[in-house]
Amino acid sequence: MQIGIFSVGDVTMDPTTGRTPTEQERIKATVAIAKKAEEVGLDVFATGEHHNPPFISSNPTATLAYIGAQTERIVLSTATTLITTTDPVLIAEDYAKIQHLTDGRVDLMMGRGNTGPVYPWFGKDIRQGINLAIENYALLHRLWREDVVDWSGRFRTPLQGYTSTPRPLDGVPPFVWHGSIRSPEIAEQAAYYGDGFFHNHIFWPASHTQQMVDLYRRRFEHYGHGPADTAIVGLGGQFFMRPNSQDAVREFRPYFDNAPVYGHGPSLEDFTEATPLTVGSPQQVLERTLSFRDYVGHYQRQLFLIDHAGLPLKTVLEQLDLLGEILPAMRQGFAEGRPAHVPDAPTHGSLVAAAGGGKDATVYAAADSATGHRAEDVLA
């Protein structure tokens, strides 16, 4: 079971001070949070992708590469990579490069995002969102598995004899999750490829999450990837905790009440009852998190959103310290009753082992098609 955090990179005013961080402060804070996550023993740090204010999470590959250079163990991921508006050729190159730079400590989560205007900014039609997600991922899947690709589709220029470089590390592509809140087509896509399915699990009730995960599990088995309970499932979640639950509620309330996403709507009490948001003591967060298995079964990845709504960096780091304190108990709780046939979360190491070992996937080209000369001949 992998336990970690994800960030959407919002730049939001702290309602208790009236101060809004600068973009540079928020970018630097993201790096500090990722490093702290590794320090307290978490397994995964994921960053979102947005291309508009009030977010700083554009160009997630640069962020992940920078974090990767300053960490040693933590898996780096996305939440999410916009497969609809990002060229799959670029995704193939960028994430394979990060694979090599971090010795395989990267996977990624595909998604459509929740910002409608991003589509025309990148020359796409939002009405084709699902079709873009399906076609672009079909191409990405081939680019990582075939050395030479001939391809044509509806939404980009054709490829003829194209080789994506660098090739995936050890000949094994990064593991892919497909993230969604409400689109059954994305759960179907994840099941078709035998990839992971990550449900946002932030704003919706448990019954909705259960329906989406159940659909994915059934279709995973339908496509012949194994029994439904061996499908690879991830969940989001969010919490705010203090040693005393009353202190947690009192401190978090102004952030909740003024949050751009869910502020000025349901009360904090109503929202925590209806969704997975937990505000309370570490024991309450632990018990609530372990209860997620009651409606999705045993799963592989749990990521928490903790650095949003204007919370200052100091507070976020304190939240990570508290999560680190209950982490052993959380791991033990997730392990209890877990059937032996339920797989662990995929890692680069496990994928290489499943492939029968790593290989040098480098494509050694005889000559550059533009100059007609090999680089080594020019140097000689």
Side-chain angles (χ1 to χ4, degrees):
M1 182 69 177
Q2 292 178 333
I3 301 170
I5 58 173
F6 71 99
S7 173
V8 296
D10 59 309
V11 181
T12 303
M13 181 187 71
D14 183 337
T16 67
T17 65
R19 185 180 184 280
T20 303
T22 66
E23 288 180 322
Q24 185 185 35
E25 288 173 333
R26 190 67 175 92
I27 292 169
K28 295 285 190 178
T30 302
V31 176
I33 291 166
K35 293 167 68 175
K36 182 70 171 182
E38 178 171 85
E39 177 188 319
V40 303
L42 296 180
D43 305 305
V44 182
F45 173 81
T47 180
E49 180 180 350
H50 289 273
H51 298 274
N52 58 291
F55 300 97
I56 50 83
S57 49
S58 60
N59 196 359
T61 50
T63 303
L64 294 179
Y66 187 77
I67 293 170
Q70 301 180 63
T71 54
E72 297 179 354
R73 182 190 54 80
I74 198 164
V75 173
L76 306 173
S77 190
T78 59
T80 61
T81 295
L82 300 182
I83 187 64
T84 47
T85 53
T86 307
D87 189 340
V89 172
L90 184 63
I91 294 175
E93 294 177 344
D94 284 353
Y95 287 92
K97 177 69 72 67
I98 297 178
Q99 248 198 331
H100 286 270
L101 290 171
T102 63
D103 297 322
R105 291 187 294 123
V106 65
D107 59 35
L108 63 163
M109 187 196 310
M110 301 299 175
R112 294 187 295 138
N114 58 8
T115 306
V118 73
Y119 285 82
W121 295 341
F122 289 88
K124 306 299 181 182
D125 185 344
I126 191 173
R127 294 170 296 184
Q128 297 292 339
I130 292 291
N131 292 329
L132 281 162
I134 293 171
E135 180 176 296
N136 284 353
Y137 184 65
L139 174 56
L140 176 62
H141 194 268
R142 289 186 59 191
L143 290 171
W144 274 338
R145 290 164 175 82
E146 301 175 28
D147 286 346
V148 181
V149 173
D150 293 318
W151 182 90
S152 63
R154 297 171 56 194
F155 300 113
R156 76 172 316 282
T157 53
L159 298 175
Q160 295 181 346
Y162 178 75
T163 299
S164 176
T165 60
R167 303 304 298 149
L169 178 64
D170 297 318
V172 175
F175 186 74
V176 170
W177 304 79
H178 299 261
S180 180
I181 300 175
R182 60 186 181 272
S183 302
E185 296 92 340
I186 302 304
E188 181 80 17
Q189 183 184 37
Y192 175 80
Y193 287 101
D195 294 338
F197 177 67
F198 189 95
H199 192 266
N200 174 275
H201 199 228
I202 296 290
F203 305 114
W204 291 64
S207 58
H208 174 75
T209 301
Q210 181 179 20
Q211 290 175 354
M212 291 290 287
V213 172
D214 283 350
L215 169 63
Y216 161 68
R217 289 190 184 279
R218 292 196 310 271
R219 301 302 289 171
F220 181 94
E221 182 172 310
H222 168 79
Y223 287 115
H225 300 298
D229 63 353
T230 65
I232 306 300
V233 174
L235 294 183
Q238 54 182 336
F239 65 76
F240 187 87
M241 57 180 156
R242 288 300 188 194
N244 181 288
S245 61
Q246 289 82 5
D247 291 339
V249 172
R250 182 171 56 253
E251 184 176 347
F252 187 66
R253 188 180 298 280
Y255 294 97
F256 176 87
D257 289 345
N258 293 278
V261 175
Y262 44 51
H264 312 290
S267 69
L268 175 59
E269 289 74 14
D270 288 344
F271 197 85
T272 54
E273 182 178 352
T275 75
L277 171 64
T278 307
V279 181
S281 69
Q283 185 63 30
Q284 288 173 310
V285 171
L286 174 63
E287 293 175 359
R288 184 80 178 279
T289 301
L290 294 177
S291 75
F292 297 163
R293 294 174 302 173
D294 296 342
Y295 50 89
V296 301
H298 294 280
Y299 60 110
Q300 283 72 26
R301 175 174 284 186
Q302 175 63 55
L303 302 185
F304 297 104
L305 174 65
I306 63 171
D307 70 327
H308 60 123
L311 288 165
L313 176 60
K314 178 178 180 292
T315 300
V316 175
L317 298 181
E318 291 168 350
Q319 294 297 298
L320 285 170
D321 279 328
L322 290 168
L323 178 56
E325 292 177 8
I326 62 173
L327 192 57
M330 188 174 290
R331 293 193 190 282
Q332 181 179 353
F334 276 124
E336 291 176 356
R338 190 180 184 92
H341 71 278
V342 172
D344 295 336
T347 64
H348 182 72
S350 69
L351 295 174
V352 168
K359 65 177 182 179
D360 177 15
T362 305
V363 174
Y364 293 94
D368 180 85
S369 60
T371 65
H373 299 286
R374 299 182 304 166
E376 54 265 41
D377 291 338
V378 174
L379 291 174

